[in-house]
Amino acid sequence: MNKILPLKKNDELTVKIERLGANGEGIATHDGAVIFVPFALVGEECLIHIVSVKKSYYFAKLVKVISPSPERINAPCPYFSKCGGCDIQHMVYQKQLELKQIIVKNELKKFANLDIEVLGVVESANQFRYRNKFAFPVQADAFGKIKIGMFRRHSHDVIEIDDCLLQSENTKKIIKIFKDYMTENKISAHNEESGKGIVKHIVVRENENSFILTVVVSDEKFNNFEPLIKKLKTEFSSFGIYKNINKFNNNVIFGERDEHIFGLKELECNEFQIKYFVNNRSFLQVNNDVKNKIYSKIIELVGNEKNVIDAYSGAGLLSSIIASSGANVYGIEIIKEATQNAENLKRINNLNNLTNINGDCVKELPKLAKQFKGDFSIVVDPPRKGLDEKVVNSILNNSPSKIIYLSCNPTTLARDIRLLSEKYMLNFIQPYDMFPQTANVETLVCLSLRQ
Ligand SMILES: C[S@@+](CC[C@H](N)C(=O)[O-])C[C@H]1O[C@@H](n2cnc3c(N)ncnc32)[C@H](O)[C@@H]1O
């Protein structure tokens, strides 16, 4: 029989924080049961308010820090703790890095039964203003006033913001211009409950001094962009605008159809001597500095390999970089537009040793891998859910000499390492701080075939 927990909702008590959880939250215990306290740090004595009682644990709100940790700082963002974007702005940066190293270590222990040293997390050159893309929801409040901002923690209510410290300095200007444009031109924001109103989201991708703004609207007939173009021109000289139509009331930002409205269609970028183009729909790692650090390490790990499969290859940037260093590269990507993008990279950069395959890794990998008879390495960079079991089996059956695994989710990474350890040995594991101020961590791993 389950023990009945002694604390009740709305109880207030003082606790000492014992450790940090996988989302950077403080963890205390009371009568053997765990209490999760977001924004509390290890060693702190805190007054907390119980907000929910589960079967064997509690969630609490931090009311007051009675004895602050030396690792606590004042979060620079005024929206921190209300906005759902950042989790750990209250921690000194060094502590953020330690937390991520421990998260990776703990997940490996828990899901791969591996008790190993994990290298220190590679820092991001910028702890703030590092993102190259932002997506802000647009809503109207009960009186019709427009709110552009971020979703409140665990909610679909938008808190109005005038800047986001993870985005570039341009963000402030773009938000202000967009809000003025909507107000002056009586353009309505979409209301999730009534299903009425036009503008749902604005999405911006930036590169140096250029950007592409996508306005996500519910009504395809909406076309009043002239005043927006005029206003943006007063501040910016290099930008483009798209309209995206999303008629559905769901959690997905983009609908299927895009219409180019004005200016730049894509942003031109050049890295690792590869020329490439991105827009708001292309997958690109959000932190350029950390992306480049990871890609450099991948090139080093690939070494002199003759054949490389790049599974989950996105818009083909990594495949192109590996191909430019000499290997025959085979990218596999499920999204058609992303593969088209990869084909453009191949053409523009004259990469005759690159083959882009559009399809599901589950189906394409077994067919492709068979032909190399073990004479290949594989790079995998899957979404958060990790590798499909069939992909793991195909790797095990075809025995690439090396598996280079880039992961944005340490839990699924650890699960997959456990499955692959049947034939592979883990010989490199390095976390990277792709997302400072959040508890997310990117991890690069290299496994080699046991002899
Ligand atoms: C994390 S991104 C990696 C992109 C790329 N490696 C890069 O660094 O730019 C994951 C990619 O996997 C693709 N994807 C998801 N499931 C897939 C599947 N079953 N087969 C092939 N590609 C898939 C997604 O469309 C996405 O582009």
Side-chain angles (χ1 to χ4, degrees), residues 283-285 291 295 310-319 332-335 338 357 359-363 379-386 388 391 406 408 442:
F283 177 89
L284 184 68
Q285 302 280 7
K291 170 185 79 141
Y295 286 179
D310 181 17
Y312 308 90
S313 52
L317 176 58
L318 179 59
S319 318
I332 309 176
E333 165 59 44
I334 204 161
I335 294 180
I357 300 165
D360 190 335
C361 287
V362 168
K363 279 199 181 145
V379 177
V380 292
D381 181 7
R384 286 190 71 77
K385 65 178 184 177
D388 189 285
V391 170
L406 180 60
C408 55
E442 195 83 5

Short mmCIF file of all heavy atoms in Angstrom, two decimals, residues 283-285 291 295 310-319 332-335 338 357 359-363 379-386 388 391 406 408 442, ligand 1:
data_model
loop_
_atom_site.label_atom_id
_atom_site.label_comp_id
_atom_site.label_asym_id
_atom_site.label_seq_id
_atom_site.Cartn_x
_atom_site.Cartn_y
_atom_site.Cartn_z
N PHE A 283 16.60 23.42 -40.52
CA PHE A 283 17.18 23.11 -39.21
C PHE A 283 18.60 23.64 -39.18
O PHE A 283 19.40 23.38 -40.08
CB PHE A 283 17.20 21.59 -38.94
CG PHE A 283 17.88 21.29 -37.63
CD1 PHE A 283 17.16 21.26 -36.45
CD2 PHE A 283 19.26 21.11 -37.56
CE1 PHE A 283 17.79 21.04 -35.22
CE2 PHE A 283 19.90 20.89 -36.35
CZ PHE A 283 19.15 20.85 -35.18
N LEU A 284 18.92 24.42 -38.17
CA LEU A 284 20.29 24.86 -37.96
C LEU A 284 20.46 24.95 -36.45
O LEU A 284 19.59 25.47 -35.75
CB LEU A 284 20.51 26.24 -38.59
CG LEU A 284 21.94 26.78 -38.50
CD1 LEU A 284 22.89 25.96 -39.37
CD2 LEU A 284 22.01 28.24 -38.93
N GLN A 285 21.57 24.40 -35.92
CA GLN A 285 21.80 24.48 -34.48
C GLN A 285 21.75 25.95 -34.09
O GLN A 285 22.25 26.80 -34.82
CB GLN A 285 23.18 23.89 -34.14
CG GLN A 285 23.36 22.45 -34.58
CD GLN A 285 22.71 21.44 -33.63
OE1 GLN A 285 22.02 21.80 -32.69
NE2 GLN A 285 22.93 20.17 -33.90
N LYS A 291 27.99 25.14 -32.14
CA LYS A 291 27.83 24.28 -33.33
C LYS A 291 29.19 24.06 -34.00
O LYS A 291 29.57 22.93 -34.30
CB LYS A 291 26.86 24.95 -34.31
CG LYS A 291 26.81 24.27 -35.67
CD LYS A 291 25.95 25.03 -36.64
CE LYS A 291 26.59 26.17 -37.21
NZ LYS A 291 27.03 27.06 -37.83
N TYR A 295 31.15 20.57 -34.62
CA TYR A 295 31.44 20.09 -35.98
C TYR A 295 32.95 19.87 -36.17
O TYR A 295 33.36 18.92 -36.80
CB TYR A 295 30.89 21.06 -37.03
CG TYR A 295 29.38 21.02 -37.19
CD1 TYR A 295 28.73 21.85 -38.10
CD2 TYR A 295 28.59 20.14 -36.45
CE1 TYR A 295 27.34 21.81 -38.26
CE2 TYR A 295 27.21 20.10 -36.59
CZ TYR A 295 26.59 20.94 -37.49
OH TYR A 295 25.23 20.90 -37.64
N ASP A 310 25.83 9.86 -42.77
CA ASP A 310 25.38 10.89 -41.84
C ASP A 310 23.86 10.72 -41.71
O ASP A 310 23.10 11.18 -42.56
CB ASP A 310 25.75 12.29 -42.40
CG ASP A 310 25.31 13.41 -41.47
OD1 ASP A 310 25.02 13.14 -40.29
OD2 ASP A 310 25.26 14.57 -41.94
N ALA A 311 23.44 9.99 -40.66
CA ALA A 311 22.02 9.71 -40.50
C ALA A 311 21.36 10.84 -39.73
O ALA A 311 21.95 11.37 -38.80
CB ALA A 311 21.84 8.38 -39.76
N TYR A 312 20.12 11.21 -40.13
CA TYR A 312 19.39 12.37 -39.58
C TYR A 312 20.16 13.63 -39.97
O TYR A 312 20.59 14.41 -39.11
CB TYR A 312 19.28 12.28 -38.05
CG TYR A 312 18.71 10.98 -37.54
CD1 TYR A 312 19.53 9.89 -37.23
CD2 TYR A 312 17.33 10.82 -37.37
CE1 TYR A 312 19.02 8.70 -36.77
CE2 TYR A 312 16.80 9.63 -36.90
CZ TYR A 312 17.66 8.57 -36.59
OH TYR A 312 17.15 7.39 -36.13
N SER A 313 20.35 13.83 -41.26
CA SER A 313 21.32 14.83 -41.73
C SER A 313 20.77 16.23 -41.90
O SER A 313 21.52 17.14 -42.27
CB SER A 313 21.94 14.34 -43.04
OG SER A 313 20.91 14.00 -43.95
N GLY A 314 19.47 16.46 -41.67
CA GLY A 314 18.91 17.80 -41.73
C GLY A 314 19.16 18.45 -43.08
O GLY A 314 19.08 17.82 -44.14
N ALA A 315 19.53 19.74 -43.05
CA ALA A 315 19.71 20.49 -44.29
C ALA A 315 21.09 20.27 -44.90
O ALA A 315 21.48 20.94 -45.85
CB ALA A 315 19.48 21.97 -44.03
N GLY A 316 21.85 19.33 -44.33
CA GLY A 316 23.07 18.87 -45.01
C GLY A 316 24.34 19.63 -44.70
O GLY A 316 25.37 19.38 -45.34
N LEU A 317 24.31 20.53 -43.71
CA LEU A 317 25.54 21.29 -43.45
C LEU A 317 26.66 20.38 -42.96
O LEU A 317 27.77 20.40 -43.49
CB LEU A 317 25.25 22.41 -42.43
CG LEU A 317 26.48 23.22 -42.01
CD1 LEU A 317 27.16 23.86 -43.21
CD2 LEU A 317 26.11 24.27 -40.97
N LEU A 318 26.36 19.54 -41.96
CA LEU A 318 27.41 18.67 -41.42
C LEU A 318 27.89 17.68 -42.49
O LEU A 318 29.10 17.48 -42.66
CB LEU A 318 26.87 17.93 -40.18
CG LEU A 318 27.85 16.96 -39.51
CD1 LEU A 318 29.11 17.68 -39.05
CD2 LEU A 318 27.19 16.27 -38.32
N SER A 319 26.95 17.10 -43.25
CA SER A 319 27.36 16.16 -44.33
C SER A 319 28.32 16.85 -45.29
O SER A 319 29.32 16.27 -45.71
CB SER A 319 26.17 15.69 -45.18
OG SER A 319 25.05 15.39 -44.43
N ILE A 332 21.16 10.95 -44.79
CA ILE A 332 19.77 10.44 -44.84
C ILE A 332 18.90 11.39 -44.01
O ILE A 332 19.17 11.61 -42.82
CB ILE A 332 19.64 9.02 -44.24
CG1 ILE A 332 20.66 8.06 -44.85
CG2 ILE A 332 18.22 8.49 -44.44
CD1 ILE A 332 20.64 6.67 -44.21
N GLU A 333 17.85 11.92 -44.63
CA GLU A 333 17.00 12.90 -43.97
C GLU A 333 15.55 12.69 -44.41
O GLU A 333 15.28 12.51 -45.59
CB GLU A 333 17.48 14.32 -44.30
CG GLU A 333 16.53 15.44 -43.99
CD GLU A 333 16.12 15.54 -42.52
OE1 GLU A 333 16.97 15.42 -41.63
OE2 GLU A 333 14.91 15.73 -42.28
N ILE A 334 14.64 12.76 -43.44
CA ILE A 334 13.24 12.43 -43.73
C ILE A 334 12.46 13.59 -44.38
O ILE A 334 11.52 13.37 -45.14
CB ILE A 334 12.53 11.94 -42.44
CG1 ILE A 334 11.33 11.07 -42.76
CG2 ILE A 334 12.16 13.08 -41.51
CD1 ILE A 334 10.87 10.20 -41.59
N ILE A 335 12.86 14.82 -44.10
CA ILE A 335 12.08 15.96 -44.62
C ILE A 335 12.56 16.34 -46.02
O ILE A 335 13.75 16.62 -46.23
CB ILE A 335 12.15 17.16 -43.65
CG1 ILE A 335 11.42 16.76 -42.36
CG2 ILE A 335 11.52 18.41 -44.24
CD1 ILE A 335 11.37 17.80 -41.30
N ALA A 338 14.38 19.65 -46.57
CA ALA A 338 15.74 19.65 -46.01
C ALA A 338 16.69 18.94 -46.97
O ALA A 338 17.82 19.39 -47.20
CB ALA A 338 15.74 18.99 -44.64
N ILE A 357 20.11 11.33 -49.44
CA ILE A 357 18.98 10.40 -49.60
C ILE A 357 17.81 10.94 -48.80
O ILE A 357 17.96 11.23 -47.60
CB ILE A 357 19.36 8.99 -49.08
CG1 ILE A 357 20.55 8.47 -49.90
CG2 ILE A 357 18.18 8.04 -49.13
CD1 ILE A 357 21.24 7.28 -49.26
N GLY A 359 14.52 10.13 -47.02
CA GLY A 359 13.77 8.98 -46.53
C GLY A 359 13.99 8.78 -45.04
O GLY A 359 14.70 9.54 -44.39
N ASP A 360 13.33 7.72 -44.55
CA ASP A 360 13.38 7.39 -43.13
C ASP A 360 14.61 6.51 -42.86
O ASP A 360 14.82 5.52 -43.56
CB ASP A 360 12.09 6.62 -42.80
CG ASP A 360 11.90 6.42 -41.32
OD1 ASP A 360 12.90 6.42 -40.59
OD2 ASP A 360 10.73 6.26 -40.91
N CYS A 361 15.39 6.88 -41.85
CA CYS A 361 16.59 6.08 -41.51
C CYS A 361 16.22 4.62 -41.26
O CYS A 361 17.01 3.72 -41.55
CB CYS A 361 17.26 6.62 -40.26
SG CYS A 361 18.12 8.16 -40.56
N VAL A 362 15.03 4.41 -40.71
CA VAL A 362 14.59 3.04 -40.41
C VAL A 362 14.63 2.19 -41.68
O VAL A 362 15.04 1.04 -41.65
CB VAL A 362 13.16 3.08 -39.80
CG1 VAL A 362 12.54 1.70 -39.75
CG2 VAL A 362 13.20 3.72 -38.43
N LYS A 363 14.23 2.79 -42.81
CA LYS A 363 14.19 2.03 -44.06
C LYS A 363 15.49 2.16 -44.84
O LYS A 363 15.98 1.20 -45.42
CB LYS A 363 13.07 2.59 -44.96
CG LYS A 363 11.71 2.09 -44.60
CD LYS A 363 10.79 2.30 -45.77
CE LYS A 363 9.40 1.81 -45.42
NZ LYS A 363 8.38 2.63 -46.02
N VAL A 379 27.68 8.75 -38.52
CA VAL A 379 27.40 9.89 -37.64
C VAL A 379 25.88 9.91 -37.47
O VAL A 379 25.15 9.81 -38.47
CB VAL A 379 27.86 11.22 -38.30
CG1 VAL A 379 27.49 12.41 -37.43
CG2 VAL A 379 29.35 11.20 -38.58
N VAL A 380 25.40 9.98 -36.23
CA VAL A 380 23.95 10.09 -36.02
C VAL A 380 23.65 11.32 -35.16
O VAL A 380 24.36 11.59 -34.20
CB VAL A 380 23.34 8.82 -35.34
CG1 VAL A 380 23.40 7.62 -36.26
CG2 VAL A 380 24.01 8.50 -34.02
N ASP A 381 22.63 12.05 -35.57
CA ASP A 381 22.23 13.25 -34.82
C ASP A 381 20.70 13.27 -34.78
O ASP A 381 20.06 14.08 -35.45
CB ASP A 381 22.80 14.49 -35.55
CG ASP A 381 22.46 15.80 -34.84
OD1 ASP A 381 21.90 15.75 -33.73
OD2 ASP A 381 22.76 16.86 -35.42
N PRO A 382 20.11 12.33 -34.01
CA PRO A 382 18.65 12.18 -34.05
C PRO A 382 17.92 13.24 -33.24
O PRO A 382 18.54 13.94 -32.45
CB PRO A 382 18.44 10.79 -33.42
CG PRO A 382 19.57 10.65 -32.47
CD PRO A 382 20.74 11.40 -33.06
N PRO A 383 16.59 13.34 -33.41
CA PRO A 383 15.79 14.22 -32.54
C PRO A 383 15.79 13.69 -31.10
O PRO A 383 16.36 12.63 -30.82
CB PRO A 383 14.39 14.17 -33.15
CG PRO A 383 14.44 13.26 -34.31
CD PRO A 383 15.79 12.64 -34.42
N ARG A 384 15.09 14.37 -30.18
CA ARG A 384 15.15 14.05 -28.74
C ARG A 384 14.81 12.60 -28.41
O ARG A 384 15.30 12.04 -27.44
CB ARG A 384 14.20 14.97 -27.96
CG ARG A 384 14.71 16.38 -27.82
CD ARG A 384 13.88 17.19 -26.84
NE ARG A 384 14.05 16.80 -25.46
CZ ARG A 384 15.10 17.11 -24.71
NH1 ARG A 384 16.08 17.83 -25.22
NH2 ARG A 384 15.17 16.73 -23.46
N LYS A 385 13.96 11.99 -29.23
CA LYS A 385 13.56 10.61 -28.87
C LYS A 385 14.66 9.60 -29.15
O LYS A 385 14.52 8.41 -28.85
CB LYS A 385 12.26 10.23 -29.58
CG LYS A 385 12.40 10.17 -31.07
CD LYS A 385 11.09 9.74 -31.70
CE LYS A 385 11.34 9.60 -33.18
NZ LYS A 385 10.42 9.19 -34.04
N GLY A 386 15.76 10.02 -29.71
CA GLY A 386 16.90 9.13 -29.91
C GLY A 386 16.73 8.21 -31.10
O GLY A 386 15.92 8.46 -31.99
N ASP A 388 15.70 5.02 -33.34
CA ASP A 388 14.68 4.00 -33.43
C ASP A 388 15.37 2.64 -33.22
O ASP A 388 16.51 2.44 -33.63
CB ASP A 388 14.06 4.08 -34.83
CG ASP A 388 12.84 3.21 -34.96
OD1 ASP A 388 13.01 1.98 -35.06
OD2 ASP A 388 11.74 3.77 -34.98
N VAL A 391 16.97 1.24 -36.18
CA VAL A 391 18.23 1.90 -36.57
C VAL A 391 19.37 1.30 -35.74
O VAL A 391 20.44 0.97 -36.27
CB VAL A 391 18.12 3.43 -36.39
CG1 VAL A 391 19.47 4.10 -36.54
CG2 VAL A 391 17.11 4.01 -37.37
N LEU A 406 25.70 12.50 -31.86
CA LEU A 406 25.44 13.82 -31.29
C LEU A 406 24.01 13.82 -30.77
O LEU A 406 23.08 13.49 -31.52
CB LEU A 406 25.64 14.91 -32.35
CG LEU A 406 25.39 16.35 -31.89
CD1 LEU A 406 26.32 16.74 -30.76
CD2 LEU A 406 25.57 17.33 -33.05
N CYS A 408 20.81 15.61 -28.19
CA CYS A 408 20.32 16.73 -27.38
C CYS A 408 19.53 16.21 -26.19
O CYS A 408 18.87 16.97 -25.50
CB CYS A 408 19.47 17.68 -28.24
SG CYS A 408 18.12 16.85 -29.06
N GLU A 442 23.87 19.41 -24.88
CA GLU A 442 24.17 18.67 -26.12
C GLU A 442 25.39 17.78 -25.81
O GLU A 442 26.33 18.26 -25.16
CB GLU A 442 24.51 19.70 -27.21
CG GLU A 442 24.52 19.19 -28.60
CD GLU A 442 23.14 19.13 -29.25
OE1 GLU A 442 22.14 19.59 -28.65
OE2 GLU A 442 23.08 18.61 -30.37
C1 LIG B 1 18.83 17.23 -34.67
S1 LIG B 1 18.46 17.36 -36.36
C2 LIG B 1 20.04 17.07 -37.07
C3 LIG B 1 20.41 17.90 -38.26
C4 LIG B 1 21.84 17.89 -38.75
N1 LIG B 1 22.63 16.77 -38.33
C5 LIG B 1 22.55 19.20 -38.41
O1 LIG B 1 23.42 19.24 -37.53
O2 LIG B 1 22.20 20.23 -39.03
C6 LIG B 1 17.59 15.88 -36.63
C7 LIG B 1 17.11 15.68 -38.06
O3 LIG B 1 16.60 14.34 -38.17
C8 LIG B 1 15.49 14.35 -39.07
N2 LIG B 1 14.75 13.09 -38.81
C9 LIG B 1 13.89 12.83 -37.78
N3 LIG B 1 13.47 11.54 -37.84
C10 LIG B 1 14.08 10.99 -38.92
C11 LIG B 1 14.06 9.68 -39.49
N4 LIG B 1 13.31 8.71 -38.96
N5 LIG B 1 14.79 9.45 -40.58
C12 LIG B 1 15.55 10.44 -41.14
N6 LIG B 1 15.62 11.70 -40.64
C13 LIG B 1 14.90 11.97 -39.54
C14 LIG B 1 14.79 15.63 -38.73
O4 LIG B 1 13.97 16.04 -39.80
C15 LIG B 1 15.97 16.59 -38.48
O5 LIG B 1 16.34 17.25 -39.66
#
